[in-house]
Amino acid sequence: MAARLSAAGLTPHTTDHADLTYIETELPGLVDVATWREVLAALEEADCFGLVTSANGRRVWAAFGKEAPTTIYAVRGHGLQL
């Protein structure tokens, strides 16, 4: 995801934690349609994501769990069939 955000002209920051990887990037004042599409496509890959708007600007963030995919699906209530 960080590579996709970089390719879209943004500067993502990655932080590794014991149970997840967290990626965030500031958004410029004006974001063109193509950049928004790439940001949204990149966020689709995340386990969870969000947009924070404040007086200091806008920031998107995403988190990727480090658990095995079968565990993640079980916690979310999805039926994973192998």
Side-chain angles (χ1 to χ4, degrees):
M1 181 181 153
R4 289 180 79 170
L5 293 174
S6 292
L10 303 171
T11 307
H13 301 280
T14 302
T15 307
D16 270 322
H17 298 278
D19 59 343
L20 61 86
T21 299
Y22 182 80
I23 300 172
E24 66 180 329
T25 189
E26 298 291 327
L27 295 173
L30 295 174
V31 180
D32 62 73
V33 173
T35 301
W36 267 120
R37 285 185 179 141
E38 186 58 31
V39 168
L40 293 174
L43 291 173
E44 268 186 333
E45 300 172 8
D47 293 321
C48 56
F49 60 86
L51 170 68
V52 177
T53 302
S54 70
N56 297 326
R58 294 177 297 170
R59 176 175 49 89
V60 293
W61 62 268
F64 297 84
K66 293 183 179 180
E67 297 177 23
T70 54
T71 305
I72 292 170
Y73 288 123
V75 169
R76 291 182 177 173
H78 297 288
L80 179 66
Q81 298 178 4
L82 300 176

